[in-house]
Amino acid sequence: DHTVKMFQSDILEFLTKCPWYVPLVFWLPIIAAIMTYYFATLVPKGLFSAPFFSALAIAGFVAWLLFEYTLHRYLFHLPTSSYWMNIFHFLIHGHHHITPMDTNRVVFPPVPSLLLGGPVWVGAVHCMGFEAGYAFLLGFVLGYLHYDMTHYFIHQTAPKSPMLKWHKRRHIQHHYHNPNSNFGISNPLFDVVFGTLVRDKYD
């Protein structure tokens, strides 16, 4: 059934599983509520600037790509040798490489995504202010959702679009040929920047 039991506790085991649509159901209403408040606050006061908003949202999306790359390369593929560090690695990413076709363990459950993204959320608004911070966060969260959906569909489907086929070929290189390559799942930008992009014979 393409799965490995991670915990003896049925409750903990359940919490490690996440159907592909859960991030959308969880995050899209939050985004809609925050953006409604954002526009309702800024537009009537004449403080909304579409070019400024767009630039910050794009910056947030690119920041997500760097976050995704860094997390995958330096935390998920952290070299380990001790017993407890091996356990840690197995729980956060090792099981995914053992069972890459596990349908319910391809996307991030909401709780881990909140723990990882929470500091970014608080830091962006605190450091950049309301107007810039939430525009940046919109791009960042949309980047995260793009990552989760791309990761799911390249693992669990036979893509028909050329773009998804290309993403799948890059990710197959990472899973089955060279795990120290192609850390960017939704986009190879930072693999190109840092020299970790490996192409296959069809590229």
Side-chain angles (χ1 to χ4, degrees), residues 1 5 11 29 31 67 69 71 91 95-96 114 119 136 154 163 187:
D1 61 355
K5 188 173 178 64
I11 294 174
I31 294 171
F67 185 83
Y69 178 90
L71 192 72
L91 292 177
H95 69 85
H96 176 58
L114 281 171
F136 178 89
I154 62 179
M163 180 62 72
N187 191 289

Side-chain angles (χ1 to χ4, degrees), residues 20-31:
W20 71 269
Y21 54 83
V22 168
L24 297 176
V25 172
F26 182 81
W27 284 107
L28 288 179
I30 293 174
I31 294 171

Side-chain angles (χ1 to χ4, degrees), residues 16 33 36 43 52 83 101 106 109 116 124 138 141 156 174 177 184 192 197:
T16 67
T36 299
V43 172
F52 179 79
Y83 174 81
M101 300 305 292
V106 182
L116 288 169
L138 174 65
V141 176
Q156 300 298 328
H174 173 76
H177 301 289
V192 173
L197 179 66

Side-chain angles (χ1 to χ4, degrees), residues 62-162:
V62 174
W64 164 262
L65 297 180
L66 179 59
F67 185 83
E68 172 191 325
Y69 178 90
T70 303
L71 192 72
H72 192 185
R73 181 176 183 179
Y74 295 107
L75 180 62
F76 291 176
H77 284 267
L78 178 73
T80 62
S81 56
S82 71
Y83 174 81
W84 288 110
M85 286 303 294
N86 287 338
I87 294 293
F88 171 75
H89 176 262
F90 172 77
L91 292 177
I92 65 168
H93 195 60
H95 69 85
H96 176 58
H97 274 261
I98 293 170
T99 58
M101 300 305 292
D102 188 336
T103 306
N104 290 315
R105 290 195 177 112
V106 182
V107 300
F108 261 86
V111 172
S113 67
L114 281 171
L115 292 174
L116 288 169
V120 178
W121 190 296
V122 173
V125 177
H126 178 76
C127 296
M128 303 171 70
F130 179 85
E131 183 181 2
Y134 278 109
F136 178 89
L137 284 170
L138 174 65
F140 192 86
V141 176
L142 290 178
Y144 156 66
L145 291 176
H146 173 62
Y147 152 77
D148 252 354
M149 296 304 103
T150 300
H151 196 207
Y152 177 81
F153 282 103
I154 62 179
H155 268 281
Q156 300 298 328
T157 68
K160 300 197 183 308
S161 78

